[in-house]
Amino acid sequence: GKGAAWSGKPGPHAEVATRSVGELVRSSSLRELRLPYPAKSAAWRVASGHGRCIQGVNGSSTHRGTLAYSFDFKLAVGTPVQAVRSGWIAAVVSHFAGGGARAHLAPRANFVAVKHEDGTYARYYHLKQHGAALEVGTPVRVGEVIGYSGNTGYTGGPHLHLDVVNVLPEETSVLRVRRRGEWEHVASIAAAFSRELPPPGRPLRAPLVYFGQDDDWPAVAAEAPKPFVAFADRHPEVTFAQRIAALATLDGCAAAVLANNRSGPEMFAMGGCEEATAAPAVLVSKESGLAFKELLASGKVDVDLAAHPAVARAQPLRDQVKGLADLPLSCVYGPDLRYVTRTLPVKFLSAANKLFVPQQTKLYPPVLPSPCAPCRSARDAVRDQTRRPIDPPS
């Protein structure tokens, strides 16, 4: 959420073991989700479209690739959003105000992420501004209200985007900076295509060196202490992968930190490359980048970087899906990458204890159609017949 640049400390439940995609797909834990909103009356659902699935699995609009197993439910702004499974709050973003059908708004959706005991995360997107009901670390029961729906981020109208994923970007890296003699956490997200980060118990510790847009990067690297963590700003005309590759090739570069160029704070998992970088790489917000520059103006700055405990044992995808008969749609991209967030195939449990997968255009819970006039007449005739007293035998 919005706040100081120094944040991003691992939550109290970071120690939950990472399970492979193959293990998760085979497990039963993904097959008993509850709907993430109150049912309301059938009449209201029909009149308003409340709970209509406006985009489902492998939807033609945005539910493709790693987002294939996602669901969009039409909900009015302010509708309570309920946890589909028990767990605890892993991440909260609630400071964004705007929304619309513009691609640059995609990273600016408010959301709540709930971590489950199997290591998966349910993500609830497009919440209203300040619409999160709970703080990070709070235990959550299935059906408990965790926030309120809205229309923030990349959206064509008020709705709730729900998915269950194996990796939460906000729990991929741990970055700290030494400030006033104390180590302070800085919110960071590992690039989806990052090389494996150092393990949590053995972080990379090195001085932070800034490479400005107009600097002679090889010359700056030649004068820097070795090894160093290269720090640069995101450039709108260069891809994330190209920017990080240019930093990683510098003599002495042990890791790369890229600062976003858009205020917010706005953070996301950098993607767009199927090959792992030559050095570990993370993104920080523009606000944190400005704070880094302010510290560097006063002298040497040390940082340390490690994998978040949640992904400490994450393996490349090809090792996670060994033995799977059918590869999930979300697992086609990046077989050699380990920090890609992939949606997982799930099923919901109805009030009648039947499993189902929401289908586009349908209302959930379903609204049973009223019988036509001839059907009602036939039904009433049967009912009357069964109600007649039985004549005693003669």
Side-chain angles (χ1 to χ4, degrees):
K2 191 171 183 177
W6 313 128
S7 57
K9 185 177 180 180
H13 300 280
E15 71 282 357
V16 171
T18 301
R19 299 176 67 184
S20 72
V21 169
E23 290 174 320
L24 291 171
V25 170
R26 295 186 190 99
S27 73
S28 61
S29 61
L30 303 179
R31 299 175 192 155
E32 295 185 355
L33 305 188
R34 305 302 173 93
L35 286 172
Y37 47 83
K40 295 195 175 183
S41 69
W44 172 257
R45 297 203 300 277
V46 171
S48 68
H50 173 88
R52 186 179 304 281
C53 181
I54 55 179
Q55 189 179 186
V57 174
N58 208 29
S60 59
S61 179
T62 56
H63 295 177
R64 294 299 181 101
T66 56
L67 285 175
Y69 301 102
S70 303
F71 303 92
D72 289 343
F73 297 102
K74 182 179 179 181
L75 297 179
V77 173
T79 301
V81 174
Q82 300 168 328
V84 297
R85 285 180 62 189
S86 297
W88 50 90
I89 305 296
V92 170
V93 169
S94 63
H95 57 274
F96 292 117
R102 298 184 296 279
H104 74 277
L105 294 173
R108 304 176 77 84
N110 296 322
F111 74 95
V112 168
V114 175
K115 191 170 188 175
H116 311 130
E117 62 181 358
D118 59 1
T120 62
Y121 304 83
R123 303 188 300 177
Y124 308 77
Y125 272 94
H126 307 301
L127 304 185
K128 62 182 288 189
Q129 187 179 29
H130 309 308
L134 302 172
E135 298 180 349
V136 171
T138 306
V140 175
R141 301 182 308 276
V142 61
E144 185 173 355
V145 174
I146 58 173
Y148 298 89
S149 64
N151 192 33
T152 57
Y154 182 43
T155 170
H159 73 280
L160 174 72
H161 172 103
L162 171 73
D163 58 35
V164 175
V165 298
N166 64 323
V167 171
L168 184 70
E170 289 74 15
E171 289 197 348
T172 52
S173 60
V174 177
L175 177 65
R176 300 192 306 168
V177 61
R178 191 167 180 83
R179 184 168 176 260
R180 300 194 186 103
E182 300 290 336
W183 287 100
E184 300 184 31
H185 286 85
V186 182
S188 64
I189 292 178
F193 50 81
S194 175
R195 178 181 173 177
E196 184 177 9
L197 274 68
R202 300 192 300 276
L204 164 68
R205 182 166 295 177
L208 187 71
V209 178
Y210 179 61
F211 292 84
Q213 178 60 27
D214 298 325
D215 291 344
D216 182 339
W217 286 12
V220 174
E223 297 180 4
K226 308 293 190 299
F228 58 82
V229 173
F231 163 49
D233 297 306
R234 175 187 181 187
H235 194 282
E237 299 178 2
V238 180
T239 68
F240 292 116
Q242 291 170 335
R243 193 74 163 168
I244 292 170
L247 293 171
T249 57
L250 295 170
D251 182 35
C253 176
V257 174
L258 211 58
N260 198 3
N261 62 349
R262 297 178 55 194
S263 60
E266 175 191 286
M267 294 173 60
F268 46 86
M270 299 177 286
C273 180
E274 293 205 43
E275 295 183 3
T277 55
V282 301
L283 178 77
V284 299
S285 68
K286 179 179 180 179
E287 291 77 6
S288 291
L290 292 173
F292 276 147
K293 292 173 188 176
E294 185 177 341
L295 288 178
L296 286 166
S298 301
K300 179 184 175 185
V301 175
D302 289 325
V303 296
D304 67 22
L305 175 66
H308 191 284
V311 295
R313 290 178 290 278
Q315 298 298 313
L317 177 68
R318 68 171 70 255
D319 295 327
Q320 296 189 47
V321 296
K322 286 181 178 178
L324 271 186
D326 297 310
L327 195 65
L329 296 171
S330 58
C331 294
V332 176
Y333 168 83
D336 296 318
L337 305 180
R338 64 186 75 220
Y339 302 127
V340 176
T341 298
R342 304 178 191 276
T343 55
L344 300 170
V346 298
K347 291 184 178 181
F348 292 76
L349 187 66
S350 72
N353 287 324
K354 293 185 177 181
L355 297 176
F356 68 96
V357 177
Q359 303 296 310
Q360 192 163 315
T361 75
K362 295 185 180 298
L363 286 171
Y364 295 94
V367 175
L368 298 178
S370 299
C372 61
C375 295
R376 285 198 300 270
S377 298
R379 180 197 62 191
D380 293 342
V382 172
R383 182 181 299 160
D384 291 342
Q385 184 69 30
T386 57
R387 289 176 177 171
R388 289 176 183 172
I390 299 175
D391 295 332
S394 55

